[in-house]
Amino acid sequence: MNTDVDIRTAAGVVRGRWEGGVAVFRGIPYAESPVGAQRFAAPVAAPSWAGVWAALKFGPSVSQPGRPWSGDAGNCLTVNVWSPDVGAVGLPVMVWIHGGRYLEGTSSNPHQDGALLAGSGVVVVSMNYRVGVEGFAYIAGAPNNRGILDQIAALRWVQDNVAAFGGDPGNVTVFGQSAGAGCIAALLTMPLAAGLFRRAIAQSVPGTYFSEELAAAISATIAEQIGVQATAGDLASISARALIDATDAASKKMLEHVESWGPTALTPTPFSPVVDGEVLPSAPWRALADGAARNIDLLVGHTRDEYRLFNPLFGTEVTDAQLTQTLDLFAPASNSNGGYRALYPEATPGALYELVHCDWLFRMPSLHLADTHHAGGGRTWNYELCWSYNPDQGASHSLDVLLVFGTLSLDDVRNHPSAEPDAAEQAIRVGDHMRSDWLNFATTGNPGWPPYDPDTRSTRVYAAEPTTQPYPEERSHQIWSTHLFDVLDLL
């Protein structure tokens, strides 16, 4: 039977509920509602309240496609907490930052439920933060990277309050995937985030960080759809739904801007963190190489088939002309190894088309994050997920999230017509291995295999049975070894 549990936070008492041996608190405000003067402003800590805050349901989602939000729905800047023992002292803390193309996502996603992780002995926290125009568009008169500033505010809330839930504010691990991992890469180097976490797990780091000029051009295109300028003053009176519709309209026209926006025009989103020299001083790889996060332990990696779910040409015949155009736009302009055609002679044009997108968008940015963090003096571990149950999707983007949280539907696995006979049992084992390694890292700073270094590139490879071996994608590494991931700018 569910039993209520009250905890006193810095702002007031919150009431959660015991659910299956884990105390769960949902929808706790960590910042003021981003409406009115606060709409495009940096977050401000939530005010105190009298009485008891019923933290029994998730807060409303922030504005995003399919879920336009208004202040009438309540405060969307909230955190959720799962604790195995609210009377404990010093439990490790894991703070989840969801992905979603910097455009969507919510902490109420059932695939990212923290109960299973928390039941293993950690306090899990997740958050909503502003996305889309509200959180990541360049807006004149507003601070950049408002969504990441929200995350910093949530991490400050963790520092001030997690001990009341049994957690250790001195042992906080941030973990996130895709856009969430891109935010974590930024947080590693942002002065405002210094001291707010001890460790980081970055799953499938995207390689896109925008200059102010590129971000401003994209925002101008979005604002044009509704006949205004991309300024805080002009946008203040525009509804969230109208901005979402304008973003969707501009996104459908991104290919028209390829000559000025470059490869950004071919990505699945018009948003990325903005490198402005202030909120985000530089691209993460450059800052990490200079030692910006040498005191933070980093676990970073990717899935093998990162682009499969995004690939618009999957299952069709890719022409050599289409491949050439893709290589010209995405692959490093020069390398001494002959490029993709030379190093992957057995691959079809379709396979190479997908591979170069995998490498440019997620795989090589993640590997280079490991390289630069090691170069800057930080302790680093690398992984790759190669297991899959579905040959059409492969080891796809986001599969590692389902495995770590333990929310992959075993019925979906069993019922897939192409699944291996023991795919469901494999899913359980692979998920258990990954979850155990993530928990070990959050608890001790060591996931259980040798640290990464650029000579051996020791990598934990999650297949049906995990192994530790040299980095499996060595041919791609050779192609990208001298490439510098840096700020994307207008061409």
Side-chain angles (χ1 to χ4, degrees):
M1 187 173 73
N2 292 334
T3 305
D4 291 345
V5 54
D6 291 356
I7 295 293
R8 179 168 293 280
T9 71
V13 176
V14 296
R15 176 165 294 161
R17 183 168 290 161
W18 287 100
E19 300 177 3
V22 174
V24 186
F25 304 79
R26 299 178 175 94
I28 305 171
Y30 67 84
E32 288 185 6
S33 187
V35 296
Q38 286 300 119
R39 184 176 182 189
F40 300 116
V44 174
S48 300
W49 58 81
V52 177
W53 186 280
L56 302 176
K57 63 180 182 178
F58 291 107
S61 299
V62 299
S63 296
Q64 56 192 276
R67 298 180 179 184
W69 172 87
S70 71
D72 295 338
N75 189 351
C76 66
L77 298 184
T78 58
V79 294
N80 318 292
V81 182
W82 291 262
S83 174
D85 184 357
V86 293
V89 176
L91 293 175
V93 180
M94 299 183 71
V95 179
W96 172 250
I97 301 177
H98 69 73
R101 301 181 295 161
Y102 305 107
L103 185 64
E104 57 193 359
T106 172
S107 64
S108 63
N109 185 335
H111 292 302
Q112 298 164 20
D113 185 282
L116 189 59
L117 279 169
S120 300
V122 299
V123 176
V124 178
V125 180
S126 66
M127 68 184 77
N128 282 347
Y129 60 92
R130 284 173 285 182
V131 294
V133 169
E134 310 282 344
F136 287 93
Y138 175 88
I139 299 175
N144 288 316
N145 305 304
R146 295 170 298 282
I148 305 181
L149 294 178
D150 291 345
Q151 296 163 18
I152 291 173
L155 287 167
R156 289 193 181 119
W157 183 94
V158 169
Q159 288 296 307
D160 293 340
N161 295 284
V162 79
F165 298 87
D168 179 1
N171 188 14
V172 173
T173 298
V174 291
F175 69 127
Q177 182 261 356
S178 194
C183 292
I184 286 173
L187 288 167
L188 285 167
T189 70
M190 292 172 67
L192 289 173
L196 295 180
F197 56 94
R198 183 176 181 181
R199 301 186 178 100
I201 304 174
Q203 305 173 214
S204 302
V205 180
T208 54
Y209 293 81
F210 292 168
S211 71
E212 285 191 294
E213 291 74 18
L214 174 59
I218 294 171
S219 292
T221 300
I222 294 171
E224 285 171 5
Q225 309 305 309
I226 43 181
V228 298
Q229 300 293 312
T231 66
D234 275 17
L235 296 180
S237 61
I238 306 299
S239 70
R241 183 182 295 276
L243 289 181
I244 291 168
D245 291 343
T247 300
D248 181 61
S251 296
K252 293 175 179 176
K253 301 177 181 178
M254 286 175 67
L255 280 175
E256 299 174 9
H257 300 276
V258 67
E259 292 187 2
S260 58
W261 297 359
T264 298
L266 284 84
T267 64
T269 179
F271 300 116
S272 283
V274 179
V275 177
D276 59 4
E278 183 179 354
V279 175
L280 180 57
S282 65
W285 302 273
R286 185 183 297 273
L288 291 180
D290 290 338
R294 64 168 57 94
N295 295 322
I296 298 175
D297 301 327
L298 174 66
L299 171 58
V300 59
H302 57 76
T303 69
R304 183 189 59 208
D305 306 305
E306 287 280 10
Y307 193 65
R308 184 70 54 83
L309 295 181
F310 304 114
N311 188 352
L313 302 182
F314 182 71
T316 67
E317 185 174 344
V318 176
T319 67
D320 193 69
Q322 287 174 309
L323 175 60
T324 297
Q325 182 184 44
T326 300
L327 292 172
D328 289 344
L329 192 60
F330 290 100
S334 63
N335 63 76
S336 60
N337 302 297
Y340 280 92
R341 285 189 172 98
L343 289 180
Y344 291 94
E346 79 288 358
T348 65
L352 288 180
Y353 173 88
E354 181 173 306
L355 186 59
V356 69
H357 281 88
C358 280
D359 286 341
W360 180 80
L361 196 54
F362 295 112
R363 299 202 315 182
M364 293 303 107
S366 299
L367 182 68
H368 283 215
L369 204 75
D371 274 321
T372 54
H373 186 251
H374 176 273
R379 297 201 312 160
T380 313
W381 285 263
N382 193 50
Y383 81 90
E384 179 175 1
L385 175 63
C386 292
W387 178 84
S388 73
Y389 70 93
N390 178 341
D392 291 334
Q393 295 180 353
S396 64
H397 190 71
S398 300
L399 180 58
D400 53 343
V401 176
L402 303 181
L403 292 167
V404 169
F405 280 98
T407 54
L408 178 64
S409 168
L410 297 183
D411 285 340
D412 287 348
V413 174
R414 293 188 187 97
N415 295 333
H416 193 276
S418 301
E420 297 289 339
D422 61 344
E425 291 72 20
Q426 288 183 17
I428 293 171
R429 288 202 307 271
V430 176
D432 286 349
H433 281 301
M434 295 189 76
R435 194 175 315 108
S436 176
D437 292 345
W438 266 229
L439 290 164
N440 285 338
F441 180 75
T443 302
T444 69
N446 187 335
W449 65 89
Y452 180 89
D453 72 75
D455 294 325
T456 64
R457 283 190 284 284
S458 178
T459 302
R460 188 68 161 175
V461 176
Y462 294 101
E465 294 296 336
T467 60
T468 302
Q469 63 187 67
Y471 182 59
E473 316 305 337
E474 182 56 30
R475 288 183 288 180
S476 289
H477 169 257
Q478 290 181 39
I479 294 169
W480 291 83
S481 60
T482 60
H483 177 80
L484 176 64
F485 281 94
D486 209 339
V487 182
L488 296 175
D489 204 350
L490 289 172
L491 297 184

